[in-house]
Amino acid sequence: MSSDVSVPQAGVRPVDVDRTSPVPLYFQVATRLQELIEKGEIGVGARIENEVDLAERLGVSRPTTRRAIQYLVERGMLVRKRGVGTQVVHPKVRRPVELSSLYDDLVAGDRAPRTEVLSLEVMPAPDTIAAALEIAPGTPVTWIERLRYAGGEPLALMHNAIPVDVLPLTADDLATHGLYELLRRNGLTPRIATQIIGARSATTSEAKILDEKRGASLLTMVRTAWDVGGRALEYGSHVYRASRYSFELNLSAG
Amino acid sequence: MSSDVSVPQAGVRPVDVDRTSPVPLYFQVATRLQELIEKGEIGVGARIENEVDLAERLGVSRPTTRRAIQYLVERGMLVRKRGVGTQVVHPKVRRPVELSSLYDDLVAGDRAPRTEVLSLEVMPAPDTIAAALEIAPGTPVTWIERLRYAGGEPLALMHNAIPVDVLPLTADDLATHGLYELLRRNGLTPRIATQIIGARSATTSEAKILDEKRGASLLTMVRTAWDVGGRALEYGSHVYRASRYSFELNLSAG
DNA sequence: TCCCCGAGTTTGTCAGGACAAAGTATTGAC
DNA sequence: GTCAATACTTTGTCCTGACAAACTCGGGGA
């Protein structure tokens, strides 16, 4: 096999682990390996040393080494095959990162984002929103309408509903902070969300607000986010100018 | 704590594991636990038995039990806290499942899908496609144009490019099998993909093919998929009728 | 009554050993 | 020379044992 030539055994220098440190040994090993991989010192496609030898040289047990490797395998940096060995995968294929967090970071990437709170009121939840949030219809929610700008242009019209017993909100808060930032600051961590992305033509009023022609294509996104306890934190129904915005996602299988 | 009342200890019947089976013990235990949780026999929020007792009653070692529990923790069904125990999380919060695989399963869900191959030819890759696939411009690729129906109506117009040295394709193959099915059958497993979802208005010819009015909103999706080795397998540029289709995604954070 | 401290519980980390299973490379027979 | 059986390498599974760290809860002291 010619591939053997291009798959050199990569070594990890021995003296590495610090047994006085409070950070677990397996994590120290994993971090060390990750560094070597990211610096390119182990090279894409290279086989790393086998578990047994690596454990011996680092002075830790095989289960500890194994756990370190497993950690990196789960993060998508390594691939193991029984009877073969453990290889470094291509950087392009890494990042099992769940998904681009939300939407803010996308606009924040290059263009100066700005958010204008058009309205904010507490009202009883209508049926559709109550259903999405899995709360009783009529439960008081804070209903927010915001207009997001990027690069001086309107980008998105966002509607959100947050149950008041989840978090009371004021317009001042939202003027300076993102909704998710406010949630997190109050100990409310969204864990999963379901999104539906679609498209439709702009209504006359939407077109006016977003500075588009009537009938222009809009991207729509409806989302509900839950925390660890399964409590719905937020419902959102947003429309984006398709001419200025798109969703980018990285998915990983297996 | 009143929560103790609502958090009963849930038991797992002892005789369960089959040591003659080729399926690993930890997996047998994990499967058993998962069944109990999904059937609701352990109830949301309930604490499961502690590792040590569970291991003893099942007749396996603690590491094995631990691994089984860990497996379910990683899948988002359980949450552990040191000094506290292991709890069943709310079903809504489960499913760190990466993402709905692709598109096929969505239409396959309820409506009878059908695919018509409009054209298939081998041609040198134009610059944009070559760039997306990270191959040299002019490298021969199979260029496919397909029309997907669901429930008797046209749903999407799909364009794909697959490098011929990745997989040679024929129209017959594609008439009866999905593109990803063909890839997988040939040992080509897409591992990650980047997608960009946007929207725009239909051109006249698109509107005609898709049975829409001119200027109707279309969902657009551009995707490149790579295998474990970082080799680009497929480039796709698809348009969907926004009136009949939307993307649903479940994302999970941290 | 309130607070702090310690005992008990439960998960987290780590070691060392043993065998099984899958893949690769070598050897041997034809 | 080709092919199949064998030996070897490497990861996968499983065990026993031990101690540490985080959390809960009850008792004792101020």
Side-chain angles (χ1 to χ4, degrees), chain A residues 155-205:
Chain A
L155 181 73
L157 180 60
M158 310 189 290
H159 292 92
N160 288 91
I162 301 95
V164 289
D165 63 353
V166 166
L167 182 65
L169 289 166
T170 70
D172 284 348
D173 294 335
L174 282 164
T176 50
H177 303 95
L179 176 57
Y180 274 61
E181 188 185 343
L182 289 171
L183 286 173
R184 248 180 280 266
R185 186 170 299 183
N186 285 272
L188 300 165
T189 313
R191 184 180 149 79
I192 76 152
T194 66
Q195 292 188 349
I196 296 177
I197 296 175
R200 62 176 170 80
S201 299
T203 65
T204 308
S205 62

Side-chain angles (χ1 to χ4, degrees), chain B:
Chain B
M1 284 277 185
S2 65
S3 67
D4 265 25
V5 183
S6 62
V7 185
Q9 289 266 342
V12 180
R13 275 182 296 285
V15 279
D16 245 332
V17 297
D18 174 11
R19 284 177 183 277
T20 67
S21 164
V23 353
L25 285 182
Y26 81 89
F27 197 78
Q28 290 185 38
V29 175
T31 306
R32 182 89 185 101
L33 281 172
Q34 186 171 357
E35 277 175 17
L36 291 175
I37 291 168
E38 281 174 353
K39 277 188 191 164
E41 295 188 28
I42 303 198
V44 172
R47 271 213 316 268
I48 67 170
E49 211 175 358
N50 73 67
E51 294 174 0
V52 184
D53 292 355
L54 184 57
E56 191 176 347
R57 286 208 303 109
L58 291 176
V60 299
S61 72
R62 188 185 158 207
T64 301
T65 310
R66 215 178 142 63
R67 184 162 178 190
I69 293 174
Q70 190 60 38
Y71 177 80
L72 295 179
V73 168
E74 277 157 14
R75 300 192 63 180
M77 305 188 71
L78 296 174
V79 175
R80 338 176 67 169
K81 279 188 205 141
R82 193 190 299 200
V84 179
T86 306
Q87 285 193 8
V88 178
V89 310
H90 192 283
K92 257 289 154 33
V93 188
R94 284 169 206 164
R95 67 170 72 171
V97 278
E98 301 310 308
L99 199 45
S100 62
S101 63
L102 296 159
Y103 48 96
D104 301 69
D105 39 10
L106 289 176
V107 278
D110 44 353
R111 299 173 293 181
R114 186 167 65 83
T115 302
E116 185 180 328
V117 179
L118 300 181
S119 72
L120 183 148
E121 58 174 319
V122 175
M123 66 176 202
D127 289 0
T128 55
I129 293 176
L133 290 170
E134 294 173 350
I135 58 178
T139 307
V141 299
T142 309
W143 180 248
I144 308 163
E145 189 175 30
R146 290 177 297 168
L147 185 57
R148 170 140 308 182
Y149 292 85
E153 288 186 322
L155 181 72
L157 181 60
M158 311 187 291
H159 292 93
N160 288 91
I162 301 96
V164 289
D165 63 353
V166 166
L167 183 65
L169 289 165
T170 70
D172 283 349
D173 293 335
L174 281 164
T176 48
H177 303 96
L179 175 56
Y180 273 61
E181 188 185 345
L182 289 172
L183 286 173
R184 247 180 279 267
R185 185 170 301 184
N186 286 273
L188 300 165
T189 313
R191 185 181 150 78
I192 76 152
T194 65
Q195 291 188 349
I196 296 177
I197 297 175
R200 60 176 172 79
S201 299
T203 65
T204 308
S205 62
E206 285 171 341
K208 193 174 177 186
I209 292 177
L210 290 171
D211 196 18
E212 283 276 356
K213 290 206 179 86
R214 186 160 58 89
S217 286
L218 298 180
L219 264 174
T220 64
M221 196 259 277
V222 178
R223 176 183 60 209
T224 309
W226 289 272
D227 72 358
V228 195
R231 182 174 60 160
L233 297 180
E234 175 249 354
Y235 166 86
S237 177
H238 307 168
V239 293
Y240 301 82
R241 295 174 72 183
S243 58
R244 307 296 158 97
Y245 193 80
S246 56
F247 291 94
E248 179 170 354
L249 358 151
N250 298 303
L251 14 160
S252 63

